[in-house]
């Protein structure tokens, strides 16, 4: 049976590899923390399996990359795409603050337990614990502010991919960024407010995939299963 959505453009969400703060669970926004050796290995291992001609992420089919300016994201890009792949996507990458991590403000470098305890001491969150998806971050970004900047990227991607819903041209897009912002992006991709409870996991160095149903740009969807054979 033929794949009814074959050729539909995809959006690949790539989380940077492990850092020391990833291990400890500290909120890492603007802090420029490098990858650990294990983090570099995570990305390199993923690259060897999923990136290359005829593989899931085929450089010849990439039309645009959005990359966070943080060192950990830039290094992930360098590890994910070897020299030959970088030549193929030359001129298609955009390093932009629009896909930076959530601005944690006063919560930068803290753990969730510490944030909740400190807020409780100040008489906040009497009815429920602090939830970043609802409450945002003091001196940082609100959920609405994050939604607005992600919606602008989504609009750009839909404009890029809209003319090629039936595979007329390779129009895959890659985002290389961070755990919270990529999960927020996934929610906004399908039109959910960030406050919507939609538990998602994206491990360091991992890749998530979004696409569209029925070859229609106004029917965005999660792509829950990817054929590991790669080429479509």
């Amino acid at each position: 049976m033929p794949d009814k959505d074959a050729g539909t453009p995809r959006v690949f969400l790539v989380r940077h590899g492990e850092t020391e703060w990833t291990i400890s669970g500290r909120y890492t926004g603007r802090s420029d923390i490098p990858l650990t050796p294990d983090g570099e290995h995570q990305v390199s291992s993923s690259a060897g399996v999923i990136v290359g001609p005829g593989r899931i992420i085929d450089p010849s089919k990439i039309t645009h990359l959005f990359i966070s300016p943080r060192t950990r994201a830039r290094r992930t890009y360098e590890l994910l795409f070897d020299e030959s792949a970088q030549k193929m996507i030359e001129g298609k990458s955009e390093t932009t603050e629009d896909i930076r991590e959530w601005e944690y403000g006063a919560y930068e470098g803290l753990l969730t337990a510490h944030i909740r305890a400190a807020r409780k001491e100040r008489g906040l969150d009497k009815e429920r614990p602090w939830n970043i998806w609802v409450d945002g971050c003091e001196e940082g970004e609100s959920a609405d502010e994050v939604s607005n900047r992600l919606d602008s990227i989504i609009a750009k991607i839909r404009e890029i991919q809209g003319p090629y819903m039936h595979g007329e041209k390779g129009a895959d897009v890659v985002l290389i960024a961070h755990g919270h912002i990529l999960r927020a992006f996934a929610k906004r991709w399908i039109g959910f407010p960030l406050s919507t409870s939609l538990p998602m996991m994206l491990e360091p160095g991992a890749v998530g995939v979004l696409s569209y149903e029925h070859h229609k740009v106004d029917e965005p969807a999660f792509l829950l299963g990817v054929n590991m054979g790669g080429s479509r």
Side-chain angles (χ1 to χ4, degrees):
M1 181 177 179
D3 180 357
K4 64 184 178 61
D5 293 320
T8 308
R10 299 175 179 183
V11 178
F12 297 99
L13 309 182
V14 181
R15 183 181 178 185
H16 64 75
E18 174 193 88
T19 70
E20 289 296 339
W21 282 18
T22 305
I23 298 170
S24 62
R26 297 167 71 179
Y27 283 80
T28 317
R30 285 193 170 271
S31 298
D32 222 1
I33 311 297
L35 301 184
T36 64
D38 282 347
E40 296 214 352
H41 178 70
Q42 288 168 341
V43 179
S44 297
S45 296
S46 293
V49 175
I50 65 173
V51 178
R55 294 178 179 171
I56 294 171
I57 301 180
D58 187 333
S60 69
K61 295 181 179 179
I62 294 174
T63 191
H64 203 84
L65 297 92
F66 294 92
I67 307 169
S68 165
R70 302 297 167 259
T71 298
R72 56 196 185 275
R74 293 294 306 171
R75 180 58 178 156
T76 295
Y77 164 78
E78 293 169 357
L79 293 167
L80 196 63
F81 297 100
D82 62 19
E83 186 175 338
S84 62
Q86 288 186 32
K87 288 181 180 179
M88 294 179 69
I89 56 180
E90 188 174 3
K92 298 178 180 180
S93 65
E94 174 183 349
T95 300
T96 173
E97 290 281 344
D98 287 343
I99 198 60
R100 69 184 184 276
E101 182 57 292
W102 199 307
E103 293 282 357
Y104 296 127
Y107 303 154
E108 182 80 6
L110 301 182
L111 303 176
T112 298
H114 296 159
I115 296 167
R116 288 177 172 172
R119 287 175 64 96
K120 186 176 181 179
E121 287 179 3
R122 292 160 50 210
L124 302 175
D125 310 327
K126 294 180 179 179
E127 296 182 358
R128 58 167 176 78
W130 170 76
N131 180 342
I132 190 172
W133 304 104
V134 177
D135 305 310
C137 298
E138 294 179 279
E139 301 175 24
E141 285 184 297
S142 68
D144 285 344
E145 288 172 326
V146 170
S147 290
N148 289 338
R149 66 177 167 96
L150 293 181
D151 287 352
S152 69
I153 296 179
I154 290 171
K156 290 179 183 178
I157 293 173
R158 302 251 167 95
E159 184 176 349
I160 290 169
Q161 295 183 330
Y164 309 110
M165 284 290 104
H166 292 268
E168 296 89 342
K169 170 187 172 183
D172 289 341
V173 170
V174 178
L175 278 67
I176 303 178
H178 315 270
H180 255 130
I181 207 66
L182 290 176
R183 285 179 285 154
F185 184 94
K187 285 187 178 184
R188 293 307 303 147
W189 181 259
I190 57 175
F192 283 14
L194 295 193
S195 59
T196 300
S197 179
L198 186 65
M200 291 178 285
M201 297 174 66
L202 186 62
E203 297 177 347
V207 179
V209 191
L210 305 173
S211 190
Y212 307 86
E213 286 191 292
H214 309 122
H215 302 283
K216 293 183 178 180
V217 74
D218 58 353
E219 293 190 24
F222 289 127
L223 187 51
L224 291 181
V226 179
N227 184 336
M228 295 303 290
S231 184
R232 293 170 287 157

